[in-house]
Amino acid sequence: MTAGATLEVAGLARAFGGVYAVRDAGLTVAPGELRAVIGPNGAGKSTLFALIGGQLTADAGTVRLDGRRIDRLPPHRRAGLGVAVVFQAARIFADLTALENVMVGAHATTSAGFLAAALRLPAHHRQERLIRERAADCLARTGLAEWAGRPARELPLGRQRALQLARALCGRPRLLLLDEPASGLRAAERERLAELVAGLRSEGLTILLVEHDVAFVMRLADRITVLDLGRVIADGRPAEVRADPGVIGAYLGRAAA
């Protein structure tokens, strides 16, 4: 596993039609840390995630990876720097096999080049073999080895979510962004996912987890950032956040409304 990276977010803001979805948001994720972002519905979690991953451009603020600004880079450039994104909605290549889907994740780390591929040079063959081996290993790590030759469309939802994670790992990321990975999963699938994410953290991978399932987050996170109406209202260790009056008020207030 590639060593983890430091993520620094400062003063991040994004408005839609004059209404701020995220405003003056900031957080720092240390190397090897699992940082979770939680908040009530409409708190701005998905917008913040997209601003960090590059799917949206910020109106203000900065995103830095190990001190380098990446907030104006497109998603593929961020991927080349080691930022891997796993979305809530399963984004798979339905007609490719599970193994081929995972191999796609290594595209940002390939070096043989277009000419070597076009001419089928030995360098291309060597690299393709290594990528295939890496992809098979990632499938095994995520419990998908038996699905390797099956079309991705045949995988159940939980397995498709795991397939996205395997694809992200195939790129040997330094920072892994997970967008509500437990959403829609059954209890057994959620447990398997939690064990996998905990294992990645223990290997030193830096992880930013945006999640609605508070119990899932409390079990895994080193630190938690809480958003409400686009602003950070709390930041700390799980026990601290759980007892924070502002956090309790935000969740209970939304529930009452």
Side-chain angles (χ1 to χ4, degrees):
M1 180 66 65
T2 304
T6 297
L7 174 69
E8 299 173 278
V9 176
L12 216 54
R14 176 63 191 247
F16 298 95
V19 177
Y20 279 96
V22 170
R23 188 164 192 168
D24 197 28
L27 59 88
T28 299
V29 188
E33 181 181 44
L34 194 159
R35 170 64 63 101
V37 177
I38 65 173
N41 290 332
K45 302 185 300 294
S46 295
T47 300
L48 178 64
F49 183 90
L51 292 172
I52 295 171
Q55 290 73 43
L56 289 175
T57 301
D59 296 329
T62 59
V63 179
R64 286 184 166 87
L65 186 71
D66 284 335
R68 173 177 177 173
R69 281 193 67 170
I70 63 171
D71 46 89
R72 296 300 174 182
L73 298 180
H76 73 275
R77 291 282 305 281
R78 302 186 198 200
L81 294 173
V83 179
V85 181
V86 177
F87 297 98
Q88 177 184 359
R91 299 188 179 186
I92 60 171
F93 300 99
D95 294 328
L96 298 183
T97 66
L99 180 65
E100 290 167 339
N101 266 270
V102 177
M103 290 176 67
V104 171
H107 75 91
T109 63
T110 56
S111 58
F114 172 78
L115 184 61
L119 299 179
R120 310 297 291 179
L121 298 179
H124 168 73
H125 288 293
R126 285 195 301 271
Q127 189 162 79
E128 185 175 26
R129 183 179 68 253
L130 290 173
I131 290 174
R132 184 174 293 272
E133 292 172 356
R134 191 195 309 175
D137 178 65
C138 291
L139 281 174
R141 293 184 66 193
T142 51
L144 296 174
E146 63 185 275
W147 297 85
R150 301 274 292 275
R153 64 174 178 273
E154 297 181 4
L155 276 67
L157 173 62
R159 301 291 187 177
Q160 289 185 7
R161 197 77 55 76
L163 182 63
Q164 284 194 107
L165 183 52
R167 185 169 62 205
L169 295 178
C170 195
R172 294 179 174 172
R174 301 171 59 235
L175 171 65
L176 179 64
L177 307 179
L178 300 175
D179 183 18
E180 301 206 19
S183 175
L185 300 186
R186 296 188 293 269
E189 294 173 327
R190 192 179 294 111
E191 176 65 23
R192 187 163 51 240
L193 175 65
E195 292 176 357
L196 176 57
V197 173
L200 295 174
R201 177 188 58 187
S202 70
E203 294 174 15
L205 180 60
T206 307
I207 302 173
L208 180 69
L209 167 67
V210 174
E211 182 54 64
H212 189 74
D213 187 334
V214 176
F216 185 84
V217 165
M218 291 293 175
R219 171 181 175 181
L220 292 171
D222 296 306
R223 296 184 67 85
I224 299 173
T225 298
V226 186
L227 289 182
D228 187 34
L229 300 177
R231 293 182 180 273
V232 174
I233 62 168
D235 189 292
R237 298 194 177 278
E240 298 168 342
V241 167
R242 186 187 292 117
D244 189 292
V247 176
I248 296 171
Y251 274 96
L252 293 181
R254 293 297 181 86

